[in-house]
Amino acid sequence: MSDGDIDARKRALRGKAMRRRDGLDPSDRSLDALAITRHVLAFLPDDGSPVAAYLAIRSEVDPALLVSLLRQAGRSVGVPAIDGHELRFRIVRDDGPLEPQGFGTRAPGSDVPEIVPSVILVPLLAFDAAGRRLGYGRGFYDRAIARARGNGRVLAVGLAFASQLVEHVPTDEHDQTLDAVVTENGVLVPTAAVSPSR
Ligand SMILES: Nc1nc2c(c(=O)[nH]1)N(C=O)[C@@H](CNc1ccc(C(=O)N[C@@H](CCC(=O)O)C(=O)O)cc1)CN2
Ligand SMILES: Nc1ncnc2c1ncn2[C@@H]1O[C@H](COP(=O)(O)OP(=O)(O)OP(=O)(O)O)[C@@H](O)[C@H]1O
């Protein structure tokens, strides 16, 4: 299958997955985010290492409570800022100013120090049981995860509502598979053998 076909399949799934997630009831989303927070806290290595989270947009799983609990536990937490084609994870501070980043996202400015995360919490539109993930289609997270993996051990953990699970996410060679996906139902650790996607 050509890359063009994969891109077209991704685009079709992206639209469908966005509509499905946007259609979830907001109070269900809040309750599910609470359950996801509990599952993540039980699952993450309790080693005080830095964690990359994100500032939720649209109907994403909102990790805000998780971020404050991790910070209260003394961990550095970063959120993504776009720097050219790369994401930098800048430290979250109380009431620190945020700059608009496009697509409704905001981030701490370039004066704010970066973290090198040992865990990256990843937003997504759809995932499958093998840990394949679909994002907004700019490849930012694929590049960030690939770079972090190139520099050492990192756990890429998707945060998702269980209803975002699909049969199969089409992938190309750039796509990074998640080490785990946490939903309101618990932690999904993908089975080792990831079958070829095409
Ligand atoms: N909460 C959150 N923060 C995040 C991400 C995310 O997925 N979720 N990102 C994960 O990557 C990065 C931001 N991703 C972006 C993705 C697309 C565009 C963008 O401008 N997209 C379109 C506009 C489309 C539209 O408005 O409908 C464009 O190409 O012009 C900007 C940022 C970093 N921060
Ligand atoms: N490591 C990489 N190097 C170069 N290009 C890449 C890399 N990763 C992804 N891309 C390119 O970025 C574009 C978007 O990728 P893709 O559709 O996989 O994004 P996504 O996973 O849906 O979104 P995101 O990672 O931004 O949340 C594709 O054209 C892909 O080829």
Side-chain angles (χ1 to χ4, degrees):
M1 184 175 290
S2 77
D3 283 357
D5 291 339
I6 290 177
D7 283 351
R9 286 163 65 204
K10 280 187 178 181
R11 262 198 309 280
L13 180 56
R14 201 169 274 128
K16 233 168 80 176
M18 181 86 89
R19 282 191 295 279
R20 188 185 306 161
R21 198 186 64 186
D22 284 346
L24 297 173
D25 182 77
S27 52
D28 287 345
R29 283 198 281 111
S30 302
L31 283 175
D32 290 343
L34 215 54
I36 290 166
T37 298
R38 279 195 297 115
H39 294 312
V40 172
L41 290 173
F43 174 68
L44 284 195
D46 188 16
D47 57 5
S49 60
V51 177
Y54 56 90
L55 301 171
I57 57 166
R58 304 183 174 206
S59 50
E60 289 173 345
V61 171
D62 190 347
L65 174 65
L66 177 59
V67 168
S68 17
L69 293 173
L70 290 169
R71 292 183 65 220
Q72 276 172 42
R75 295 180 86 146
S76 322
V77 178
V79 290
I82 297 170
D83 180 14
H85 292 290
E86 305 295 328
L87 293 183
R88 311 260 163 220
F89 295 104
R90 296 189 183 139
I91 289 192
V92 176
R93 294 171 171 158
D94 294 323
D95 301 322
L98 299 171
E99 299 174 351
Q101 292 262 292
F103 210 50
T105 59
R106 291 168 311 145
S110 53
D111 56 316
V112 177
E114 269 178 56
I115 60 156
V116 178
S118 68
V119 176
I120 304 181
L121 302 175
V122 189
L124 54 84
L125 284 171
F127 69 100
D128 69 18
R132 302 184 195 99
R133 151 188 185 278
L134 186 73
Y136 293 130
R138 288 291 199 87
F140 285 121
Y141 270 102
D142 292 315
R143 284 189 292 275
I145 296 167
R147 196 179 43 165
R149 284 181 172 153
N151 292 337
R153 271 185 74 82
V154 66
L155 212 52
V157 179
L159 301 188
F161 304 107
S163 55
Q164 291 177 264
L165 174 66
V166 298
E167 185 64 34
H168 181 86
V169 174
T171 48
D172 60 37
E173 65 274 17
H174 294 304
D175 284 298
Q176 296 291 312
T177 302
L178 298 167
D179 297 302
V181 181
V182 181
T183 74
E184 67 274 21
N185 295 336
V187 181
L188 171 98
V189 176
T191 38
V194 175
S195 60
S197 71
R198 45 180 160 150

